[in-house]
């Protein structure tokens, strides 16, 4: 096949420009990225050979080689791993397949400060492309294990790359960087210096389980006869198998970066050593930020599974529940077969036990963070709260633990969220429920008519704005013996009603309005289940509430968007007997014989209640027309 030249796609080009102009200050990490890819390639080959003994590949000495040439100013990173086919190179290296890239670039366009840009790169990571931070030309030669023909990819990072077949390619991947000219001012950044390379590997890649070797350069004048012994730069010790005090935090962090492809440190490192009949070690990490695709369908969740130090699979989802899908890490089990498959894992009793234990361990770590490091907990909750709350619906076994580590926006404090425990501690004498309201935004909820009486009486209400809040509040009945109650559902009898409005008063009132209530119900027909007087309104004339056992409109919509057919629940219309509009309507009803005009008032009142909770009147055009007429008459 002849050499072909291709153009990078727009995003790839933009990304490369960034790399070439190096907005990332810590350029050393390019080597970590290349070594990380090489290590993955070795893992993949070992696994492929294990699964298929007809695979024509040499797995006798899997390793990574680093070779520097100070005179030619080249640095070569070579692995004898799985390699890539021609199509894979075109697909994986030629284009930037990572869907995060577009999002990354979008955020970058919005960030104007260089510091922001640097932070963004750290968040997204750019893998192989980071080599253009230090090189002005990169060549990659690779041969897929089991195939005979190799592929050569080459680029200066400036818009195009070339692809051609290569006949003499060894198994695996060789990446050669033509380094940018040395900076005479800054000898520290000479990536041909053995000292520098040794230091970078030690710092970022020590835990890599494959040998990373460096062959020293022949001294000048050497004719090549003196044998040069390669030196292994990394200790290859599995961090999860070493004791806690032997391992520095930074080492854990580098392992995290290797497995997560995140460039930032994790928020929390969690270790677990299970002894006994089924022995395993786990090293789990909570990232410091949520990945952009956490809520998309194809999100790859799960940790890495090792069996006796041998890498078995990425994204092992059987080990953690879906609501902990942001957790990264390694689980190394002693007594599993190396041939274990995903299907077997789902069924395995030991795996199920590990799953339960790991979930509990993560939740207890979060609990620990709440007291030991409130700032970190706040970050955790901001980033992962919406995912964690899914567990309130799906994991009844850990429901208590999940409620204990959850926090919620509240009317008590404009900025700081509250835990349920703190809420309960602040509950007023006689308050018998934890009150909440769901909605799309804090502002929308706070201004909802349902809140009026609560605001007046200074009763705290939790303000729930995540989509999942609609669902879990439907599933969780109580916290610590206190029922969870929506302020927009059922009848509300707030403490104090008894004192300022004795029961006889209320009865008298109901009598006074009885005709209005029945008449309104007739007017509104099937749209409404019941019309009644409200004890939650102080300012607005009317509001809609759901019956205690009914789905809220938002939840109905959610189910429908998931393709489930749920019936529309009828709502209850509540009227504020102290409002002039309601009083006036009541009076007009008993005074007038002709009630034609009043029917429109009933409709308008209903429409206002719909609008007040952010809904849409059934016939918006008719509603506006009626309203316009009224306004005209009033002028
Ligand atoms: P990432 O590693 O984050 O997926 P990269 O841009 O670094 O992104 O690499 C893209 C893909 O190219 C990798 O996922 C892998 O499939 C392939 N790749 C990169 N380096 C190697 C290598 N040394 N051997 C085999 N495949 C590789």
């Amino acid at each position: 096949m002849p050499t072909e030249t291709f153009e990078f796609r727009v995003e790839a080009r933009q990304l490369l420009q960034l790399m070439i102009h190096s907005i990332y200050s810590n350029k050393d990490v390019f080597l970590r990225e290349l070594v990380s890819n090489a290590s993955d390639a070795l893992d993949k080959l070992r696994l492929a050979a294990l699964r298929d003994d007809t695979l024509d590949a040499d797995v006798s000495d899997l390793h990574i080689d680093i070779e520097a040439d100070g005179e030619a100013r080249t640095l070569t990173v070579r692995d004898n791993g799985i390699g890539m086919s021609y199509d894979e190179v075109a697909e994986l290296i030629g284009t930037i397949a990572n869907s995060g890239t577009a999002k990354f670039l979008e955020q970058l366009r919005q960030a104007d400060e260089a510091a922001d840009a640097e932070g963004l790169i750290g968040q997204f990571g750019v893998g192989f492309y980071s080599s253009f931070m230090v090189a002005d030309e990169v060549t990659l030669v690779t041969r897929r294990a089991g195939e005979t023909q190799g592929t050569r990819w080459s680029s200066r990072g400036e818009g195009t790359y070339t692809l051609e077949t290569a006949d003499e390619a060894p198994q695996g991947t060789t990446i050669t960087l033509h380094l940018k000219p040395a900076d005479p001012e800054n000898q520290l950044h000479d990536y041909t210096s053995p000292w520098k390379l040794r230091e970078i590997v030690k710092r970022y890649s020590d835990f890599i389980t494959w040998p990373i070797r460096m062959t020293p350069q022949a001294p000048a004048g050497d004719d090549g006869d003196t044998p040069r012994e390669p030196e292994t730069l990394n200790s290859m010790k599995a961090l999860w198998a070493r004791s806690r005090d032997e391992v520095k935090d930074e080492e854990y962090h580098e392992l995290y970066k290797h497995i997560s492809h995140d460039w930032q440190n994790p928020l929390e490192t969690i270790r677990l050593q299970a002894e006994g009949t089924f022995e395993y070690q786990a090293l789990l990490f909570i990232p410091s930020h949520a990945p952009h695709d956490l809520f998309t369908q194809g999100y790859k969740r799960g940790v890495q599974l090792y069996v006796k130090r041998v890498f078995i699979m990425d994204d092992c989802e059987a080990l953690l529940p879906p609501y902990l899908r942001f957790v990264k890490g390694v689980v190394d089990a002693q007594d599993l077969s190396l041939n274990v498959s995903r299907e077997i894992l789902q069924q395995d009793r030991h795996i199920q036990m590990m799953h339960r234990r790991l979930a509990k361990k993560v939740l207890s770590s979060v609990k620990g963070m709440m007291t030991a490091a409130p700032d970190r907990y706040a970050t955790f909750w901001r980033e992962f709260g919406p995912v964690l709350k899914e567990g309130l619906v799906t994991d009844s076994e850990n429901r208590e633990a999940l409620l204990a580590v959850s926090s919620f926006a509240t009317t008590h404090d404009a900025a700081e969220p509250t835990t349920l425990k703190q809420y309960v501690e602040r509950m007023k004498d006689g308050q018998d429920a934890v009150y909440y309201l769901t909605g799309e935004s804090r502002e929308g909820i706070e201004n909802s008519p349902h809140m009026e009486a609560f605001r007046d009486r200074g009763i705290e209400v939790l303000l729930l704005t995540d989509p999942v809040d609609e669902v879990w509040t439907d599933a969780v009945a109580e916290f610590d013996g206190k029922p969870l109650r929506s302020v927009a559902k059922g009848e509300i009898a707030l403490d104090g009603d008894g004192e300022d409005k004795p029961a006889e008063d209320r009865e008298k009132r109901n009598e006074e309005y009885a005709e209005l209530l029945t008449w309104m119900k007739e007017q509104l027909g099937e749209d409404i289940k019941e019309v009644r007087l409200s004890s939650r309104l102080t300012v607005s004339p009317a509001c809609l509430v759901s019956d205690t056992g009914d789905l809220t409109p938002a939840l109905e919509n959610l189910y429908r968007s998931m393709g489930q057919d749920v019936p529309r629940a009828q709502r209850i219309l509540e009227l504020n007997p102290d409002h002039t509009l309601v009083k006036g309507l009541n009076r007009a009803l008993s005074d007038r014989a002709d009630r034609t005009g009043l029917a429109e008032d009933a409709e308008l009142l209903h429409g206002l209640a719909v609008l007040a909770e952010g809904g849409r009147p059934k016939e918006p055009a008719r509603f506006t027309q009626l309203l316009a007429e009224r306004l005209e008459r009033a002028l």
Side-chain angles (χ1 to χ4, degrees), residues 112-326:
D112 33 30
E113 299 288 316
D116 285 0
E118 169 145 355
L120 280 171
I121 287 225
Q123 248 184 63
F124 285 83
V126 283
F128 170 73
Y129 282 78
S130 61
S131 37
F132 285 98
M133 293 197 295
V134 298
D136 44 28
E137 188 179 352
V138 178
T139 304
L140 173 149
V141 177
T142 184
R143 179 165 65 81
R144 172 106 194 163
E147 293 183 5
T148 47
Q149 184 126 77
T151 306
R152 174 195 297 272
W153 177 98
S154 185
S155 177
R156 301 183 60 82
E158 286 167 337
T160 61
Y161 61 92
T162 58
L163 264 181
E164 63 193 308
T165 49
D167 290 331
E168 299 289 311
Q171 163 193 312
T173 303
T174 303
I175 293 170
T176 305
L177 311 186
H178 299 264
L179 297 168
K180 289 181 180 180
D183 180 357
E185 302 280 289
N186 197 347
Q187 292 295 330
L188 281 176
H189 283 286
D190 181 6
Y191 296 113
T192 61
S193 142
W195 173 85
K196 176 75 182 169
L197 294 169
R198 205 176 281 128
E199 190 248 336
I200 301 180
V201 169
K202 207 64 200 151
R203 179 142 45 100
Y204 294 114
S205 312
D206 190 59
F207 56 85
I208 294 284
T209 43
W210 303 103
I212 305 170
R213 295 180 192 147
M214 182 166 67
T215 311
Q217 260 179 281
D222 188 324
D223 51 15
D225 285 350
T226 348
R228 290 179 291 142
E229 276 303 307
E231 156 195 16
T232 300
L233 303 181
N234 56 327
S235 73
M236 292 186 275
K237 281 192 198 147
L239 293 189
W240 54 91
R242 289 163 61 186
S243 76
R244 184 72 162 127
D245 31 280
E246 252 184 77
V247 186
K248 292 202 277 292
D249 282 349
E250 295 82 62
E251 294 181 82
Y252 285 132
H253 295 174
E254 291 311 328
L255 175 68
Y256 165 73
K257 290 174 189 171
H258 168 62
I259 37 194
S260 66
H261 298 243
D262 185 358
W263 285 25
Q264 287 181 343
N265 288 337
L267 193 65
E268 189 76 2
T269 303
I270 304 167
R271 287 173 52 107
L272 181 78
Q273 311 261 5
E275 326 253 297
T277 46
F278 193 78
E279 208 175 295
Y280 61 92
Q281 290 115 15
L283 191 51
L284 303 179
F285 301 98
I286 298 177
S288 55
H289 58 95
H292 61 90
D293 53 352
L294 195 56
F295 287 97
T296 58
Q297 198 133 63
Y299 180 72
K300 285 221 168 65
R301 68 183 185 89
V303 295
Q304 290 190 336
L305 178 66
Y306 280 68
V307 172
K308 291 190 272 297
R309 310 276 179 281
V310 176
F311 171 80
I312 299 295
M313 67 175 75
D314 266 322
D315 316 317
C316 179
E317 57 282 272
L319 288 172
L320 282 169
Y323 66 87
L324 294 180
R325 60 185 175 275
F326 53 87

